[in-house]
Structures are given as structure tokens and as C-alpha cells.
Amino acid sequence: MTTEEFITLNADADVRSLALRHAGRTDIDLPYALDQIAGRRTARTKLPAWAATDGMIYPPHIALEQCSSQQTALYKADTVSRLLSRSSQLSRPTLLDLTGGFGVDFSYLAPLFARAVYVERQSRLCDISRHNFSRLGITRAEIICADSEQILASADPVTMIYADPARRDAAGARTFAISDCTPDMLALKDMLLDKACFTMIKLSPMLDWRKAAADFGGSVGEVHIVSAGNECKELLLVLSRRYTRLEKVYCVNDGQIISFDPVLPSLPALSAPPSPLTPPFHLYEPNSSIMKAGCFTLLAGRYGISQVSPMSHLYISPAALPDFPGRGFIINTVTSMNKRELKAALAGTDRANISVRNFPLSADALRRRLKLKDGGSTYIFGTTAEDGRHLLMIGEKER
């Protein structure tokens, strides 16, 4: 049996079981086969277009774990396409990807350029990417196996530089600070600005976006907080000499985008329900990108709604808001933590989905207090009203 036959035969098998059952085999390249089986399975959800392409090669787990998803790569491609429309180098636009890695972002960005250069210091990843780009029909890829800082120093001016610096140290531990990543993009800032019309840097979503932008000293013009499935995935900074300040922050979750100018004052709330905690009413929970951005007053102003309290970040509305950037619920019951009130409010309820915002108990502790199982169609939000009362808002998801 060849290695490829083994991979095909065991495409849906459990990788750990395979590793134990076939340990010591010498007729196949077992580590490679296990990487391919695990990689293809991950790609089915993370990179469906790649998974649907025959003959792709997948790297070891860490490289696949750290790479962008198809969804976030497509968003970057849309953003770069918009930036290119503002560039003067349109006769032969050139991309320089300083941290090629597994090549997912490069594969979506490269078709936008007349020339696209992929730089990666690991020769194995260069070989994998060369093969995969060919399978994907990317014909403009120039692959360079070298140190990115050396390539940057000797490169001619380009239209776009893209970088996703490694967020692990020499021991393999995760790092978050920009200066702790490899390469250190702060140390390269002046060179990046001199060499490219625009530079896009992908950073950890754990970073404070305000500080990250400020660290680059006024050269960041756009910040993109990118979520998928309501989970914050990436923080993108766009740098250029043409910027004098941060012009726009984009909050992205799946196909929904909210943008704002962080310098302009937020609009005041246009209106607020006169009796906001009197059910029934609609409750809205912002998505993770909005929460990360912290643009709560702006959200209230745009939609003419109010928060339950300034620290709750839960919004209430008398009417449905179909385009609200987050989850929507219909609240039918509001109760205090009084035992008698709770008993009446939860009569017939044995399970619920519980969330807390600005509440003295964690979600798990509240679940234990209420003696409820997890799940079902009932949703309970524990929060604190503006007058200091601890409340539970009980309802169901909007249809």
C-alpha cells in the first residue's frame, strides 16, 4: 500500500487511533499521512475551496491552526481591492507577502496583482505552497525561501505589503505583543512605509486595537476587527504614509460590517423606550467585534436604542431591528432574584441558555443557583439595571 492509498482509505478515520494502530509501519510515511488526513478534515470547514481542490498538500497542525480561514482571507481580499482603487501604482500593482506561511492569504490576494511575491523562511512551507498554488491555478506566484527582513531591505517599492508575523516564541509559547512577534513589525515600520503604498498587518485579536494603532505613531489609517461566527479572529492594521491619523475602524462579523471614524464624536441616542424593562421588548447583544471595538454609544445612536445600563452592553428596543450587528431576543419576562419571583418566572423551565453581563454571578454559578440544565429554546440574561437591581431577563431568540 502506498502512502496516498493509505490516506484515501482512511480519509474519515480518527487520527489518534490511526497513529496508535499503525505505529512502527515502515511501508508508508505515517507522519505525513496523518497530517494529510487531519488537514483535509480541518480544511472542509476552514478552507472549503481548498478541500474541494484535488491534490492539495496540508502542513503540520500548527501551521494549519494559525492560518487564516477562507472567510477571513476573502474579507482581506475585498479590503485590499478597495485600497488598490486608491493607489497610483495601477500599471503593474505588486504584492509582497513577507510571511507566506501556508499561503492561504496569499492565494486570495495574489490574483489582485500583476506580480505577487511570497516570502517564507521555512523551505518545507515553500515547497507545499509552490505545489498548492499550482493546483489552485495561481500562475503569478514568485516564491522566495529567505528571511523576510533581508528581502524587505533589498526590495524595490511595491503597491502592497502583507504580513502575518508569527505569534510564537522560540519555545513555541504564544506571544501577543507586536514587538514579541517575528518579525517585529514595529521595528520595521519606517521601512514598510517607505517600501509600500499600503501595508496590511495581521495581529492577535487579543491586542487592544487603540494601543496597537497608537504604537505605529499615526501611520495606521484603518483598523479592522474581524470575527467569524461571533468569535474574534483577527486584528488588521492598514499603514501608509498617506495617513495622518486613524480614519476608520471596521467591525466585521461574517457578512455584517459596521464602520466608524474614531475621532468624530458619537451620535447621541435618537430615542429610548419610555419603559424599557417592561416586557415584551426586544433585547440585542452586540457581536464580538462590536464588543472589542467598544463603540457602544455609537451603536445606540445609530439604532435609536438604549442600553439596560451603561455597563451592560445589552440593548433594548420596542421594535425588531433585523440588521442589528449581533444576536436578537424577545424578552417576555423580567424578574428579580427574589425566590418567589424566580419560582413563578421559571415555572415549567428545566433548561436554558444563560449569559451574564455586569452581574455578580458567573453564568455557571447562576445556572447552579437556578438549578437549570444547559440548552433548550429559553434564554436568560443576568444583568444589573441602572438603579442597581440585579435582574434576569427571560425570553427566546428572534425568529
Side-chain angles (χ1 to χ4, degrees), residues 169-191:
D169 60 21
R174 287 185 181 274
T175 59
F176 299 105
I178 301 173
S179 58
D180 290 336
C181 296
T182 306
D184 178 357
M185 305 311 292
L186 286 175
L188 298 176
K189 182 191 77 170
D190 289 337
M191 199 181 305

Side-chain angles (χ1 to χ4, degrees), residues 240-278:
S240 177
R241 288 280 188 210
R242 65 184 62 194
Y243 296 129
T244 58
R245 69 172 181 88
L246 178 56
E247 297 179 357
K248 194 79 74 174
V249 177
Y250 295 84
C251 300
V252 184
N253 182 63
D254 300 331
Q256 204 163 32
I257 302 173
I258 292 285
S259 64
F260 63 94
D261 184 331
V263 175
L264 295 178
S266 299
L267 294 173
L270 299 179
S271 62
S275 199
L277 294 181
T278 302

Side-chain angles (χ1 to χ4, degrees), residues 52-69:
T53 302
D54 292 334
M56 299 291 282
I57 296 177
Y58 298 95
H61 174 70
I62 288 181
L64 194 55
E65 178 190 74
Q66 293 181 336
C67 76
S68 296
S69 67

Side-chain angles (χ1 to χ4, degrees), residues 177-248:
I178 301 173
S179 58
D180 290 336
C181 296
T182 306
D184 178 357
M185 305 311 292
L186 286 175
L188 298 176
K189 182 191 77 170
D190 289 337
M191 199 181 305
L192 294 170
L193 294 172
D194 289 341
K195 295 282 186 175
C197 295
F198 295 99
T199 296
M200 177 181 283
I201 303 174
K202 173 183 169 182
L203 297 170
S204 167
M206 299 293 290
L207 291 175
D208 182 321
W209 65 267
R210 296 172 186 83
K211 184 179 185 307
D215 284 346
F216 283 93
S219 58
V220 174
E222 295 183 3
V223 168
H224 299 255
I225 304 169
V226 184
S227 296
N230 203 27
E231 181 181 350
C232 203
K233 297 290 188 180
E234 301 175 357
L235 178 64
L236 304 175
L237 306 184
V238 179
L239 287 67
S240 177
R241 288 280 188 210
R242 65 184 62 194
Y243 296 129
T244 58
R245 69 172 181 88
L246 178 56
E247 297 179 357
K248 194 79 74 174

